[in-house]
């Protein structure tokens, strides 16, 4: 019962904000364009995606590849950052550096402490 009420509320929300009409008109335009094609496309789904403004299959694969590369770079940078924070902590402890007040630290030290504490 509660699930149906949520669905109905969401449907009303979509209707009241013009989403249902926009989707209906968008799909209608795509179907009309497909109908009017003399040579029907072999890859109908790709045709529909392109007409709706989505990336082509090639563009999508390129974006996925780029995202995977960026994820690898991010992971490498995060690991390097953690290692640098660890080294900083080791240096602080080896030199018995203790921060007793904000007057004793520079802005750079404060920023480094904040960055390393986030991890």
């Amino acid at each position: 019962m509660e699930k149906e009420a949520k669905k109905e509320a969401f449907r009303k929300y979509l209707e009241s904000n013009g989403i249902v009409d926009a989707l209906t008109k968008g799909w209608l335009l795509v179907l009309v364009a497909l109908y009017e094609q003399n040579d029907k496309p072999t890859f109908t789904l790709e045709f529909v995606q392109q007409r709706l403004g989505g990336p082509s299959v090639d563009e999508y694969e390129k974006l996925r590849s780029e995202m995977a590369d960026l994820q690898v770079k991010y992971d490498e940078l995060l690991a390097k950052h953690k290692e640098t924070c660890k080294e900083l902590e080791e240096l602080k402890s080896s030199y018995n550096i203790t921060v007793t007040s904000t007057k004793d630290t520079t802005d750079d030290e404060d920023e480094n402490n904040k960055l390393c504490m986030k991890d």
Side-chain angles (χ1 to χ4, degrees), residues 10-114:
F10 187 66
R11 186 188 62 73
K12 287 180 181 179
Y13 164 76
L14 293 176
E15 283 180 356
S16 68
N17 286 289
I19 302 299
V20 173
D21 287 338
L23 288 173
T24 303
K25 288 176 185 173
W27 275 103
L28 183 59
L29 291 174
V30 170
L31 293 175
V32 168
L34 182 59
Y35 176 77
E36 292 176 347
Q37 290 287 314
N38 290 330
D39 298 323
K40 301 295 184 224
T42 305
F43 300 102
T44 309
L45 184 57
E46 188 173 332
F47 175 86
V48 170
Q49 286 175 329
Q50 288 174 345
R51 290 294 177 146
L52 291 174
S56 69
V57 172
D58 291 337
E59 292 169 325
Y60 178 76
E61 289 303 321
K62 182 180 175 186
L63 289 171
R64 283 182 54 92
S65 175
E66 183 180 343
M67 187 178 87
D69 292 344
L70 290 172
Q71 184 66 49
V72 168
K73 288 179 184 178
Y74 170 80
D75 293 341
E76 290 171 354
L77 287 171
L78 185 59
K80 178 71 175 161
H81 172 71
K82 288 180 179 181
E83 182 62 32
T84 303
C85 287
K86 182 180 174 185
E87 290 173 9
L88 177 63
E89 291 303 317
E90 289 171 358
L91 283 172
K92 282 181 178 180
S93 63
S94 69
Y95 289 108
N96 293 322
I97 297 175
T98 57
V99 179
T100 55
S101 72
T102 56
K103 291 189 292 185
D104 295 340
T105 63
T106 66
D107 289 341
D108 288 341
E109 288 172 335
D110 285 342
E111 189 62 29
N112 286 339
N113 288 336
K114 289 177 189 174

